[in-house]
Amino acid sequence: MFGFVVRRLLSSFVVILLASFVVFIIFYLGPSNPAEPVCQAAGGRCTDERREAIEKNMGLDKPVLEAYATFMKGVVAGREVTVGSTAYPCDAPCLGISYATGLPVYEELKKRIVPTVLIAIMGSLVYLVLGVVIGVFAAARRGTMGDRMLVSGSLIVSSVPYYLVCLLAWIYLTQQTSIFPATGYFPITENPFTTIKGLFLPALVLGIATAPTYARFTRGQMVETLGDDYIRTAKAKGLNGRGVMMKHALRAAIVPIVTIFGLDFGALLGGTIFTEFIFDIDGMGRWGLFALRSPLDLPVITATVLVGAFFIVFSNLIVDLVYGFLDPRVRLG
Amino acid sequence: MTTLSKTPDAGGPAGTTEPYLEVSNLTVKFPTADGLVQAVTDLSYSVALGQTLGIVGESGSGKSVSSMAILGLHDARTARITGSIKVGGREVVGLNDAEMREMRGNTAAMIFQDALAALHPFYRVGAQLAEAYKVHHPSANKREARRRAVEMLDRVGIPEPASRVDDFPHQFSGGMRQRVMIAMGLINDPSLLIADEPTTALDVTVQAQILDLLQDLQREFNSAIILITHDLGVIAEVADDVLVMYSGRSVEYGKCKEILSHPEMPYTWGLLSSIPDVTSDPNTRMIPIPGTPPSLLNPPPGCAFEPRCIHKDKVPGDLCATRLPDMRPGGRGAGHLKRCHLADPDRVYQVEVLPEIAPDLAEER
Ligand SMILES: Nc1ncnc2c1ncn2[C@@H]1O[C@H](COP(=O)(O)OP(=O)(O)OP(=O)(O)O)[C@@H](O)[C@H]1O
Ligand SMILES: [Mg+2]
């Protein structure tokens, strides 16, 4: 078990390192010259000499490997970053300096990760509970009217584009009416209760919009499990319907559900883009989205992509560990 | 050869003591998208306490479906069950779920084929056994249920039961898992035990051990056992009575020795010919039955075995193809029922079939 964790941690680390390298070179070698945004930020066009000077300052004249090494050195030990003609101190872990604000990317990221993580936790709890409950309910009544209504109802909900759901909720529940007046992100350091209240609607919308997917997945897993031989054994013992459903069928069906949940959750942590954008919450998703606007804020984009990759790798690791815990047939070690 | 007493033994097909299980005219149908599957039709048999009934028949002949009906394990919304099943004198067809649950695993238990699939992969063996006990002993606490689980594992011959009780099913061997299934079936001392192919996936030695175990436990508890199998060798060893099923119906039913020595139905002959018997003379031929059973969706009007029967031209006219023979006594007494139009099946068997499949036995006569 311990050996397994160590090995998986090491390989996760390697994966993140590789991801960071790929992300770095994509932006380094990409079609847009990284110096260009700096020129624009400095107010318009640069002369050729000016551009060359900027490129030299930013280390863009160096080979890609050397530039990457400088970047990684900054992550580990901090460095001084030159943007345009200004030099900024950047402490470890240095992910660069945001062109837009001139602040270390890491400092900005620290602020923005909290609302994203909170939305992800609250929203995924909503869709997990809602989805599993509806799915189990439908599976228990498979083939009946109730089942069909739940399945088609969930199809209708999930066929509405997510941004539209978000937008409608925002318009009707925060603007037209004041059912959720104080929606948005209020720093958790001030009043956690207000924070939760402010994120309640966004999380609810995210949860309700995703729940149908989980309901259908749960139903499918349950129906499959209910056909297994050990379910017949459970019935033959004289267990009642609820015991068979909850103790035997759900116990088996929950394993793939947890797997999917973990992976989805990891992806959510990287940024809940629409939710943050529409409810105007300054989280990772919105931050990354805004960084894509002209002028491109390359260090911020790199950082958000890296954080997203980190969360996905991390959630994979957690899923593997939990899987070994949930399924005794999987030998860890 | 065995001479059968004219007065049938207790518990036999025409038994004098009250049978514990009495199935009469049981019919099970499943509506499907393709039509109505007639899985079991008009099946009747009985088993007394302390007796073992062997049910044989090809795959799909309705052995499992008919036995599962006894415990009400079919989906009540889809399966159409008619006829009567009396367990310990009580009619169980039409019982509601709560009344049925009262009986399941308690007075009547079932052990399933393929124990690896039939045990829950995520629960410890002990927990699964304890659960079976606690369902019918709600006042028992965890410790008592666990003690009972260990006791049962010991009873079915699992070494070191006190530590193995905490293993998961996948940590057991196939034979041990089957023992666990038996332990689970017997944990509430049922009067009726249905064993659905309990030894099919196991090697011969383990198979013999499991059968011995079942017999020992039967002697101890005097329970009625139904043993479902494809294997007539197993039947010969443990069954008191035999029921041969074909295409959802009974085709031959009687005392085990009687059926095995004087089978009167060509399908039973076919089953006997298709046993590979390593101990006998190498001249013995193993003859598989040609063809496949008919569809259960549109059963033929005549005998279901007619298309595969090589003796059908011994019956005048096209009786076999047009009229379903009744289940009735042949020439050997009321205790031996068969479903066949052949006029003198015993003679055909002795003269034509036996020399083919067991030349040495035939010569003795
Ligand atoms: N729920 C169901 N719906 C439709 N058909 C069914 C259902 N259950 C069983 N059947 C059909 O009933 C027939 C009898 O099945 P059954 O399981 O009793 O066979 P069996 O004699 O036990 O065979 P085996 O030796 O392979 O276990 C099969 O043709 C099967 O396809
Ligand atoms: Mg079967």
Side-chain angles (χ1 to χ4, degrees):
Chain A
M1 176 75 193
F2 180 72
F4 173 83
V5 176
V6 171
R7 249 179 301 134
R8 284 295 273 111
L9 273 175
L10 276 177
S11 68
S12 304
F13 180 73
V14 171
V15 169
I16 290 173
L17 215 62
L18 278 174
S20 73
F21 183 62
V22 171
V23 169
F24 188 84
I25 56 172
I26 284 173
F27 290 124
Y28 189 91
L29 301 174
S32 91
N33 185 343
E36 200 57 43
V38 181
C39 289
Q40 287 177 24
R45 301 179 167 279
C46 300
T47 59
D48 283 351
E49 298 90 73
R50 174 88 184 107
R51 182 172 292 124
E52 249 167 56
I54 292 174
E55 282 177 4
K56 197 161 158 32
N57 279 336
M58 292 174 75
L60 292 175
D61 54 338
K62 301 206 188 85
V64 65
L65 273 178
E66 199 181 325
Y68 178 67
T70 313
F71 176 76
M72 287 315 285
K73 189 186 140 259
V75 173
V76 179
R79 64 185 166 123
E80 190 160 85
V81 180
T82 315
V83 178
S85 47
T86 334
Y88 298 88
C90 178
D91 294 335
C94 173
L95 295 170
I97 297 292
S98 164
Y99 298 166
T101 62
L103 293 171
V105 168
Y106 180 70
E107 295 302 320
E108 303 233 1
L109 187 140
K110 267 203 312 205
K111 277 191 298 190
R112 289 176 169 90
I113 211 154
V114 181
T116 298
V117 168
L118 284 176
I119 294 174
I121 291 176
M122 291 165 64
S124 61
L125 275 181
V126 172
Y127 65 64
L128 182 67
V129 172
L130 215 58
V132 169
V133 168
I134 294 173
V136 168
F137 196 80
R141 284 157 188 73
R142 64 197 173 286
T144 65
M145 262 314 263
D147 174 31
R148 255 168 296 202
M149 271 162 62
L150 283 175
V151 170
S152 47
S154 84
L155 264 175
I156 292 169
V157 172
S158 59
S159 63
V160 183
Y162 178 59
Y163 63 85
L164 200 61
V165 179
C166 258
L167 204 59
L168 290 174
W170 177 73
I171 293 172
Y172 286 102
L173 301 179
T174 70
Q175 305 302 115
Q176 305 279 62
T177 64
S178 49
I179 300 173
F180 294 93
T183 290
Y185 180 65
F186 305 97
I188 195 157
T189 42
E190 280 160 29
N191 184 349
F193 184 68
T194 325
T195 312
I196 303 290
K197 240 171 63 180
L199 293 180
F200 189 77
L201 180 64
L204 195 67
V205 170
L206 174 66
I208 288 174
T210 320
T213 316
Y214 275 75
R216 262 176 296 145
F217 187 69
T218 304
R219 181 189 176 280
Q221 292 297 328
M222 284 294 282
V223 167
E224 203 183 309
T225 307
L226 284 168
D228 283 344
D229 281 5
Y230 50 80
I231 297 298
R232 196 183 52 196
T233 309
K235 282 186 198 150
K237 283 178 185 177
L239 278 180
N240 61 19
R242 187 148 46 83
V244 173
M245 260 331 232
M246 300 314 249
K247 222 182 142 193
H248 289 258
L250 186 58
R251 174 64 183 82
I254 205 76
V255 176
I257 295 171
V258 165
T259 305
I260 297 294
F261 177 78
L263 301 182
D264 282 352
F265 186 66
L268 270 189
L269 288 175
T272 46
I273 298 180
F274 281 127
T275 319
E276 291 169 22
F277 183 69
I278 287 172
F279 290 102
D280 210 17
I281 293 162
D282 195 8
M284 296 282 298
R286 203 187 73 139
W287 188 44
L289 189 67
F290 283 3
L292 281 169
R293 287 177 177 174
S294 191
L296 280 185
D297 199 343
L298 266 183
V300 172
I301 295 168
T302 315
T304 50
V305 173
L306 269 180
V307 169
F310 169 80
F311 278 131
I312 284 171
V313 171
F314 184 71
S315 61
N316 264 290
L317 175 66
I318 299 291
V319 162
D320 278 0
L321 290 176
V322 171
Y323 198 89
F325 180 74
L326 286 178
D327 187 343
R329 289 169 303 182
V330 179
R331 290 258 136 247
L332 302 180
Chain B
M1 284 263 83
T2 336
T3 39
L4 237 102
S5 55
K6 284 293 167 210
T7 43
D9 306 6
T16 45
T17 52
E18 187 73 359
Y20 185 73
L21 170 70
E22 209 171 355
V23 174
S24 337
N25 309 104
L26 175 68
T27 297
V28 184
K29 296 178 184 172
F30 300 103
T32 65
D34 301 325
L36 202 58
V37 174
Q38 308 188 13
V40 175
T41 311
D42 205 17
L43 185 69
S44 304
Y45 61 81
S46 61
V47 196
L49 290 176
Q51 296 282 301
T52 301
L53 169 72
I55 302 185
V56 270
E58 273 169 303
S59 192
S61 53
K63 307 183 296 293
S64 299
V65 168
S66 58
S67 340
M68 279 165 68
I70 299 169
L71 291 190
L73 288 176
H74 294 297
D75 187 345
R77 284 172 306 198
T78 56
R80 294 192 198 153
I81 302 177
T82 55
S84 150
I85 300 172
K86 284 199 174 123
V87 180
R90 185 182 191 200
E91 178 61 54
V92 299
V93 172
L95 281 190
N96 67 30
D97 193 51
E99 292 165 325
M100 204 58 140
R101 281 203 309 266
E102 188 44 47
M103 184 186 80
R104 276 185 206 141
N106 195 13
T107 47
M110 186 151 181
I111 59 185
F112 298 98
Q113 141 181 40
D114 191 3
L116 181 60
L119 291 168
H120 201 296
F122 300 160
Y123 289 116
R124 291 172 202 281
V125 164
Q128 302 193 43
L129 286 169
E131 182 183 43
Y133 182 70
K134 283 188 77 176
V135 174
H136 297 291
H137 297 83
S139 59
N141 62 31
K142 256 191 161 153
R143 279 237 320 286
E144 285 162 359
R146 187 185 156 90
R147 194 175 339 111
R148 178 76 180 154
V150 175
E151 188 187 311
M152 286 313 292
L153 286 182
D154 191 33
R155 186 70 131 299
V156 298
I158 303 272
E160 295 174 61
S163 66
R164 297 310 299 259
V165 75
D166 288 323
D167 278 355
F168 287 98
H170 72 271
Q171 293 167 307
F172 277 35
S173 71
M176 278 160 72
R177 277 195 290 265
Q178 199 58 61
R179 285 164 197 265
V180 171
M181 283 307 295
I182 295 176
M184 193 181 287
L186 293 171
I187 201 161
N188 295 312
D189 302 332
S191 301
L192 171 66
L193 182 69
I194 303 167
D196 192 350
E197 306 190 28
T199 58
T200 300
L202 307 173
D203 71 59
V204 201
T205 2
V206 181
Q207 181 170 331
Q209 289 170 0
I210 299 272
L211 293 175
D212 280 351
L213 173 67
L214 275 176
Q215 282 183 299
D216 286 350
L217 293 166
Q218 179 176 42
R219 242 168 264 138
E220 198 174 330
F221 296 109
N222 197 38
S223 37
I225 293 185
I226 294 180
L227 184 77
I228 298 173
T229 176
H230 293 268
D231 188 346
L232 275 175
V234 168
I235 294 281
E237 221 165 288
V238 301
D240 299 297
D241 297 338
V242 179
L243 172 71
V244 182
M245 286 187 72
Y246 185 75
S247 191
R249 291 177 194 268
S250 58
V251 292
E252 190 154 15
Y253 179 37
K255 290 265 136 226
C256 178
K257 280 180 186 157
E258 166 70 13
I259 300 274
L260 293 182
S261 57
H262 296 279
E264 298 200 329
M265 161 77 195
Y267 177 62
T268 315
W269 301 345
L271 285 180
L272 282 167
S273 332
S274 47
I275 314 176
D277 188 354
V278 282
T279 55
S280 73
D281 159 0
N283 295 328
T284 308
R285 284 178 56 201
M286 195 196 110
I287 312 152
I289 310 171
T292 50
S295 150
L296 295 170
L297 288 169
N298 303 300
C303 172
F305 190 59
E306 182 268 340
R308 299 169 76 185
C309 185
I310 48 170
H311 300 281
K312 63 183 167 205
D313 26 320
K314 297 191 181 74
V315 175
D318 54 357
L319 207 55
C320 289
T322 53
R323 253 200 49 219
L324 176 73
D326 291 326
M327 214 34 198
R328 58 165 176 251
R332 305 186 48 87
H336 182 165
L337 303 173
K338 49 117 202 196
R339 191 187 290 281
C340 185
H341 287 306
L342 277 177
D344 192 358
D346 195 35
R347 208 184 58 83
V348 177
Y349 179 68
Q350 304 296 348
V351 174
E352 288 185 32
V353 185
L354 202 56
E356 278 280 303
I357 58 174
D360 47 344
L361 262 181
E363 274 158 29
E364 274 171 34
R365 283 161 193 282

